[in-house]
Amino acid sequence: MTTTDDFVSRSLEVPGARLHYEVRGRGPLLLVIGSPMAASDFAPLADALATDHTVVTYDPRGFAGSPVDDPDGPSNPDLRADDVAAILDALDAPSADVFGSSGGAVTGLALVARHPGRVGTLIAHEPPLMELLPDAEAQRVATADIVATFRTEGLQAAWLKFMVNAGFDVAALGSDLEGPPEPQGQPVNPEQAVAEGARFFLHDLVPTAQYVPDVEALRASGSRIVVGLGAESGHLLTHRTSVAVAERIGVDTTEFPGDHGGFMGAPAAFADRIRQVLASR
């Protein structure tokens, strides 16, 4: 455990894994989560929010500082939701607000459905739930092709296909890509990059993309759900999935700065937008 006046780094044993999580700041409790994005990816945003919130970030099982007992063990939104609930338990927190981006937004939806009463407001920022799209079958085929590409051609080729399907401008990102569209926190060594790529492509991607939220459980939970959509995400697949999720839940989308990685590009402005949304409840 690492501790300063405003920052604590901890580990938590859960079935099949050891979770690394970080706590910073003072004020109302706010969890900031992603998947596969880890705590370091959210550090600038967490720092910006920590002036008036107690902010918790974590490394999802199998990524960064959260090792798993079995690298080929299961991973899905329900399991990740249970991990987040375990962190709340470790903090002796009956409930918290949650900001989840991308796969973390899917984790947040599973958390609300599986653990009613634990989430006050969930901001689900661009959840990539492709089963809700009219072309869901085509997306299943594209996802299967991405997974097969990882198996046969390796990490870089799989990420490139993933990003093309997601709508990113691959040419602008260069040809030496070894990870997701936005850099994932601190640099990782090649062996770790391949291990985390295997975790994502072989175990996380399909269960996350094909997750279907339990709308009745969401409605019965008592949580407020906000579906966040980047102001500059119109060209991305997650624009369509966010609109589809909002329609399925019965809410309007709420605009956030930037695109899918807006919290990285403008963390201060993004933090202010989170504050506005939380204050509007």
Side-chain angles (χ1 to χ4, degrees), residues 49-138:
L49 288 164
T51 58
D52 54 5
H53 285 81
T54 299
V55 183
V56 178
T57 56
Y58 89 120
D59 297 340
R61 60 169 61 214
F63 294 92
S66 292
V68 290
D69 296 343
D70 179 5
D72 293 320
S75 181
N76 55 63
D78 287 343
L79 184 57
R80 297 198 305 265
D82 292 347
D83 288 345
V84 175
I87 292 173
L88 284 175
D89 290 341
L91 294 169
D92 292 323
S95 64
D97 292 326
V98 177
F99 170 81
S101 186
S102 193
V106 182
T107 302
L109 290 168
L111 177 65
V112 169
R114 287 176 65 80
H115 300 276
R118 303 305 300 268
V119 178
T121 294
L122 167 66
I123 302 175
H125 178 249
E126 301 204 3
L129 296 183
M130 292 185 283
E131 284 297 301
L132 304 187
L133 296 177
D135 59 338
E137 177 57 33

Side-chain angles (χ1 to χ4, degrees), residues 33-50:
I33 62 176
S35 179
M37 301 90 74
S40 60
D41 297 281
F42 292 101
L45 176 63
D47 288 340
L49 288 164

Side-chain angles (χ1 to χ4, degrees), residues 205-219:
L205 178 56
V206 170
T208 299
Q210 296 181 5
Y211 178 81
V212 177
D214 184 337
V215 174
E216 292 305 315
L218 295 177
R219 289 173 178 163

